[in-house]
Amino acid sequence: MKVNGLALGVLVAAVAVLAGSITWVASGGDGGGHGWMMSSYGSGMMGYASSGRGEPVRDLAGARRQAERFADRLDLEVGEVMRFANTYYAELEEKGRPATEVLVDPSSGAVWLEYGPAMMWNTRFGMMSDFRLRGGSGMMGSGMMGGGMMGGIGEPLAREAQDGEVTTAEAEAIAQRFVEAQDPALTVGEAEPFPGYYTLHTLRNGKLSGMLSVHATTGAVWYHWWHGRFVSMDA
């Protein structure tokens, strides 16, 4: 997937500004022997990430357990869990509907909101949302600044003008045009509606290979390039 260097530089600079404002606030236990950290990113942006205490996550079941500890703090449930070469990915649900996306670090078990659309576009649980965590401030996962960042965050890779909300069918069409421009052998799966955006699987010869997201208003496309190669999934 092609990456625009200027746009990436702007986003990395923004991350650096946020990193400079992080303040450690509190640490505690969740009853399962795993610490939790609450970090502040300025007024109205606070959140939790599992510290993981450095225990490796060795399989999908272990990743699901870690994601469930994180989800419990938000009164959410864990849906599908995937193993990629670089990380574990989990979809969190609210009453059966997609709510947000998290990453689980294989080496430490740490869990945080996925960078990219889950942080930047999610209108309920993301960085720019007005969500209140148990009476606290708006949610933002602290893992964005951690070692699982893998060299940086993604960026909007394609943008199409849209009038009003992007429908599911439109999101799928936008995503299909995008992947075809990158690799004619790729197709996309069904669009899952998260708050403020859609996430879709990318497919090669009908088999899952990765994922991307489409903004629900602008039609911007953000490929989840930080995952690496797809390995397996537990739905």
Side-chain angles (χ1 to χ4, degrees), residues 66-217:
Q66 288 296 94
E68 286 172 346
R69 293 185 177 104
F70 186 98
D72 286 346
R73 295 298 179 103
L74 304 177
D75 292 326
L76 300 177
E77 298 180 346
V78 178
E80 66 183 20
V81 179
M82 298 184 188
R83 177 67 166 107
F84 289 91
N86 296 333
T87 187
Y88 289 96
Y89 161 95
E91 179 181 300
L92 304 190
E93 299 177 347
E94 185 174 35
K95 298 179 180 178
R97 298 173 61 88
T100 190
E101 302 163 283
V102 299
L103 300 178
V104 181
D105 180 37
S107 62
S108 69
V111 184
W112 55 81
L113 285 183
E114 184 179 21
Y115 10 88
M119 276 195 179
M120 304 302 293
W121 289 351
N122 195 301
T123 56
R124 178 159 165 73
F125 297 94
M127 172 179 166
M128 305 305 292
S129 74
D130 60 357
F131 177 67
R132 296 296 180 263
L133 179 60
R134 299 194 184 283
S137 299
M139 174 68 185
M140 179 177 175
S142 62
M144 182 177 182
M145 309 305 170
M149 192 170 170
M150 293 172 289
I153 61 174
E155 63 174 315
L157 300 179
R159 190 172 296 277
E160 301 192 14
Q162 298 288 326
D163 295 324
E165 288 295 306
V166 175
T167 67
T168 301
E170 288 170 339
E172 291 171 358
I174 290 169
Q176 184 60 43
R177 289 196 296 271
F178 173 77
V179 298
E180 285 179 356
Q182 310 300 316
D183 185 342
L186 290 176
T187 58
V188 297
E190 296 181 359
E192 288 191 279
F194 287 84
Y197 67 100
Y198 298 90
T199 288
L200 305 87
H201 296 166
T202 60
L203 309 171
R204 184 179 297 277
N205 298 323
K207 296 182 179 180
L208 197 152
S209 62
M211 64 179 62
L212 56 76
S213 297
V214 177
H215 196 281
T217 302

Side-chain angles (χ1 to χ4, degrees), residues 15-41:
V15 169
V17 171
L18 285 172
S21 68
I22 297 175
T23 302
W24 185 87
V25 179
S27 172
D30 68 349
H34 291 257
W36 288 81
M37 178 175 65
M38 183 167 68
S39 296
S40 171
Y41 295 80

